[in-house]
Amino acid sequence: MCEVITHRGPDSRGTFVEDGVGLGIQRLAIIDLETGDQPIFNEDESVVVVQNGEIYNYRELRRELEARGHRFSTQTDTEVIVHLYEDHGDDCVERLRGMFAFALWDRRRRRLLVARDRVGKKPLFYAARNGSFWFGSEAKSILQDPEIPREVNTDAVDSFLHFQYVPHPLSAFAALRKLPPAHVLTWEDGRIETRRYWKLSYSPDDPYGSEEEMHERIRFELLEATRLRLRSDVPLGAFLSGGVDSSAVVAAMAQLSSTPVKTFSIGFDVEAFDETAHARQVAELFGTEHHEFRVEPHAIEILPKLIWHYGEPFADQSAIPSFYLAELTRREVTVALNGDGGDEDFAGYHRYVAQRVADRLSWVPDPLARTGARITDAIGPGRDERSFRARLGRLAHAVSMSPYERYAMWIAYFNEQERGALYSDDFRASLAGERTAPTVIRDPYLASDAAEFTDRILDVDVATYLPGDLLVKMDIATMAHSLEVRSPMLDHHFMEMAARLPASAKLTGMTTKRVFKDALRPWLPGEILDREKMGFGVPLADWFRGALVDLPGEVLLDPRSLERGYFREDAVRALITSHREGVADTSNKIWALLQLELWLRTYIDAERPAPVAVG
């Protein structure tokens, strides 16, 4: 189980085994290189812990614990967990400021506590069968035990085709589940209990103050979150795209660092996807030691490796540049900071604007809304799904829906109707009666305490898209190269501050992240803050009409793929043909189907999971 995830921690392996329990850890040494190997024990060795991640406030916690009489045997951050557990029990997680997944064994009580950080930076899979319990940072660890069957969870496949990722608590493997973010799980005498220990609140509990006071608060909290994430006994750097969020983190690092910050960027030969000029501008502004790498169509050669490392179907195409960026960065540093979380904190995605427009058009009578939808369907989305025509079509369909249905439709790769047309009768029959996909957005939307529509959608993304997609993408891409990534804007204090700011300050008219951009104007130029958001995708649509035009058909129309009986051949063929001939941009749908098929070949067909050839 340890061996198959050596990439996550190549520096040391630790195990603890006694009657009925075994803990294993692959350590990437970041803090306390000499004495910090795990497992870690308390004073009398009655409590033992293994942890993946970092506790950033460990120095402050250590001082408190030592003042109460606890004795430490290492200088590592992980040791605070066992001593906090002695004082606070399961509530120890509430004192931790960091990213973590840990397992703690109480030897006296013969009781296991596993926990995951608040936003889900670090993953945790588990399986429970016949009174026994397995856990691991990646599914492939648990699958090393032949007792765990490798059967497909078709409900997870349905959700994957909607969202481009498998949402928690589902796993693509029927026998496995994911512990949701901000949850603890206990196992005792074969019984499992879970509870949530944290949730963002969007109900303000203090005055906002003036705009300038908000700006000062944002800058202060960003500097503090960044300061904590500079604690390391190994070299650090930063991902720099030239966008607002990564530039803000580099600006904070430059103010806190006594030496030039090392920065790393990825570029493309397709201008619409290339931000390297902006990254260079920020690098020059702060005098960083800057490194660049360019991604071309032959980058698809890493696809088998991606499939193996991600371990589940995962269709966020930016996994490709993220994987290469991590490889480039690891040549120079062991830890990198990034700008993840800024869009979810301050409403940075264009879809938030569209959703608010649709919400304000909800008064439109249903007959008129249906007519508008029919007209846009007749016009069609065109060659680019990001075009005005495509967005107008989605808006026309969204007007008559409930807010959570509308948002679920807007972000879908394959919406409900498209999945219905794709599925074979047998596959449709295999899905559970109450399928998960429709509830993924509905449940957090209804559970949110946000009064404003924009904040409620942000709350949904923090609960779903952030841990299910963005953080999975970054964790797997970086840990595949033994690189740790830290995200100041996912610090829970920073997120709580942002959640309490007025929704109108985040999304103002058509301007996204307005209050955050204004707070950064003393640090960054307007050319960086006010330019159009580009995202971190790859030119798949161009590749599937050019250098990779044959790949979709070679894989998806191969007899091996068709014989699974999941999808109708005519529906798959139509997706490929319409994209190749320029009728519509179906590149995202094709990419999702490719990821699914190659995952099936790697993890379900093969006797033991290993990278497979494409084609």
Side-chain angles (χ1 to χ4, degrees):
M1 292 175 74
C2 285
E3 181 68 25
V4 79
I5 57 166
T6 300
H7 52 276
R8 296 188 72 90
D11 295 328
S12 71
R13 175 177 302 169
T15 58
F16 170 82
V17 180
E18 65 180 18
D19 185 30
V21 60
L23 306 180
I25 178 73
Q26 289 294 143
R27 184 184 182 217
L28 179 63
I30 303 293
I31 293 173
D32 186 8
L33 308 185
E34 298 299 323
T35 66
D37 284 350
Q38 303 179 40
I40 298 286
F41 297 85
N42 64 337
E43 294 93 335
D44 63 4
E45 297 194 350
S46 62
V47 178
V48 57
V49 71
V50 291
Q51 184 217 179
N52 172 28
E54 300 288 349
I55 309 303
Y56 301 124
N57 63 334
Y58 75 100
R59 293 177 184 171
E60 293 79 4
L61 292 172
R62 179 177 177 132
R63 286 195 291 268
E64 290 180 22
L65 290 161
E66 287 178 327
R68 292 203 296 271
H70 289 275
R71 300 187 311 276
F72 283 71
S73 59
T74 75
Q75 298 297 317
T76 184
D77 60 307
T78 300
E79 191 172 357
V80 300
I81 299 173
V82 291
H83 298 298
L84 283 171
Y85 176 78
E86 290 180 284
D87 286 2
H88 301 284
D90 298 355
D91 292 339
C92 65
V93 293
E94 298 177 17
R95 300 295 313 282
L96 302 177
R97 188 171 181 177
M99 57 176 184
F100 54 83
F102 70 77
L104 180 149
W105 178 244
D106 187 323
R107 299 173 74 183
R108 290 196 182 102
R109 300 173 62 184
R110 294 193 59 78
R111 180 176 182 269
L112 182 72
L113 166 69
V114 296
R116 195 171 174 206
D117 66 68
R118 291 170 177 81
V119 294
K121 280 275 289 181
K122 289 300 175 183
L124 205 154
F125 290 80
Y126 69 92
R129 295 167 63 85
N130 304 319
S132 296
F133 185 82
W134 296 255
F135 69 91
S137 292
E138 296 184 17
K140 60 176 69 72
S141 270
I142 302 174
L143 295 174
Q144 298 306 301
D145 192 328
E147 286 191 40
I148 305 297
R150 281 188 278 131
E151 296 174 356
V152 178
N153 182 343
T154 55
D155 201 33
V157 171
D158 181 55
S159 294
F160 160 72
L161 290 173
H162 187 119
F163 295 106
Q164 77 179 350
Y165 60 89
V166 177
H168 63 260
L170 291 180
S171 163
F173 301 95
L176 273 57
R177 292 177 71 80
K178 298 170 190 152
L179 184 66
H183 276 67
V184 295
L185 178 152
T186 57
W187 179 98
E188 190 171 10
D189 295 328
R191 296 188 305 273
I192 292 175
E193 294 182 3
T194 61
R195 71 172 177 88
R196 185 170 190 164
Y197 65 88
W198 179 84
K199 187 182 185 307
L200 267 183
S201 174
Y202 289 80
S203 295
D205 58 7
D206 55 33
Y208 301 123
S210 66
E211 283 272 331
E212 185 51 42
E213 288 172 323
M214 284 191 270
H215 298 164
E216 290 178 2
R217 179 80 179 275
I218 290 169
R219 290 191 295 266
F220 171 82
E221 294 289 357
L222 180 55
L223 283 168
E224 176 63 9
T226 303
R227 181 186 69 81
L228 289 174
R229 282 158 181 78
L230 294 180
R231 291 176 170 175
S232 172
D233 294 331
V234 295
L236 298 106
F239 293 163
L240 178 59
S241 69
V244 172
D245 300 331
S246 65
S247 299
V249 170
V250 169
M253 291 177 71
Q255 294 176 62
L256 296 165
S257 301
S258 58
T259 57
V261 177
K262 294 184 177 182
T263 53
F264 304 87
S265 297
I266 285 285
F268 301 92
D269 290 334
V270 179
E271 184 178 353
F273 290 82
D274 188 64
E275 296 185 275
T276 50
H278 304 290
R280 279 186 228 114
Q281 181 182 358
V282 175
E284 290 170 5
L285 178 64
F286 295 105
T288 75
E289 183 183 315
H290 192 56
H291 306 260
E292 284 184 8
F293 182 84
R294 303 198 75 76
V295 176
E296 298 174 350
H298 62 74
I300 207 79
E301 293 169 1
I302 67 162
L303 186 51
K305 190 181 294 186
L306 282 180
I307 298 293
W308 186 83
H309 275 288
Y310 277 89
E312 288 193 300
F314 187 76
D316 186 334
Q317 57 190 260
S318 61
I320 295 175
S322 298
F323 207 78
Y324 280 111
L325 180 59
E327 181 181 36
L328 166 72
T329 304
R330 187 61 175 89
R331 296 172 191 167
E332 301 289 333
V333 299
T334 311
V335 177
L337 275 63
N338 75 356
D340 280 356
D343 290 320
E344 290 75 18
D345 289 336
F346 297 105
Y349 299 123
H350 292 303
R351 62 177 180 262
Y352 298 143
V353 177
Q355 288 299 296
R356 192 176 62 179
V357 171
D359 189 60
R360 292 177 176 177
L361 290 175
S362 58
W363 58 267
V364 174
D366 284 350
L368 183 57
R370 287 194 294 271
T371 299
R374 284 195 297 270
I375 292 172
T376 57
D377 284 348
I379 296 172
R383 288 173 54 92
D384 185 354
E385 66 169 13
R386 298 172 299 168
S387 68
F388 175 76
R389 284 168 56 186
R391 291 174 178 172
L392 182 63
R394 290 196 294 271
L395 180 62
H397 280 279
V399 167
S400 61
M401 297 178 174
S402 68
Y404 54 82
E405 289 174 325
R406 180 166 63 237
Y407 193 56
M409 183 276 294
W410 195 273
I411 62 176
Y413 266 37
F414 288 89
N415 63 34
E416 190 81 13
Q417 181 179 357
E418 291 166 337
R419 297 199 306 280
L422 177 68
Y423 294 162
S424 68
D425 292 341
D426 287 345
F427 185 81
R428 190 179 298 108
S430 73
L431 298 174
E434 178 64 26
R435 290 180 15 236
T436 302
T439 71
V440 170
I441 301 300
R442 181 192 69 195
D443 291 355
Y445 184 90
L446 296 178
S448 176
D449 69 354
E452 295 290 332
F453 175 77
T454 297
D455 277 342
R456 194 165 285 244
I457 294 298
L458 290 177
D459 203 357
V460 167
D461 272 356
V462 168
T464 58
Y465 178 64
L466 182 65
D469 185 324
L470 298 184
L471 300 185
V472 172
K473 173 188 69 182
M474 194 52 62
D475 175 78
I476 296 297
T478 55
M479 295 307 289
H481 298 95
S482 307
L483 174 72
E484 178 173 285
V485 166
R486 301 173 174 180
S487 307
M489 284 184 278
L490 291 177
D491 181 277
H492 75 276
H493 289 193
F494 186 86
M495 296 181 75
E496 289 167 352
M497 174 274 300
R500 290 193 295 268
L501 297 177
S504 59
K506 301 168 194 171
L507 186 59
T508 306
M510 301 290 285
T511 302
T512 58
K513 295 161 79 165
R514 197 264 301 166
V515 69
F516 186 52
K517 293 173 182 176
D518 288 347
L520 296 174
R521 293 194 187 279
W523 294 359
L524 294 167
E527 308 96 274
I528 296 298
L529 295 173
D530 300 322
R531 70 183 181 86
E532 185 76 6
K533 182 179 178 63
M534 291 181 67
F536 196 45
V538 295
L540 270 185
D542 293 343
W543 290 357
F544 284 159
R545 292 188 183 115
L548 303 177
V549 67
D550 296 325
L551 178 63
E554 290 174 353
V555 175
L556 300 178
L557 299 178
D558 180 77
R560 183 178 180 183
S561 304
L562 297 175
E563 286 167 6
R564 296 189 195 281
Y566 283 17
F567 310 129
R568 293 174 43 225
E569 179 180 353
D570 60 331
V572 175
R573 192 176 296 276
L575 285 172
I576 296 171
T577 302
S578 62
H579 183 82
R580 185 178 62 240
E581 296 180 354
V583 175
D585 180 0
T586 61
S587 56
N588 282 340
K589 293 180 172 63
I590 292 170
W591 184 249
L593 294 178
L594 283 170
Q595 301 308 297
L596 175 61
E597 173 57 28
L598 294 174
W599 173 78
L600 288 166
R601 295 184 185 187
T602 303
Y603 279 92
I604 305 302
D605 297 351
E607 185 175 342
R608 293 184 65 84
V612 298
V614 178

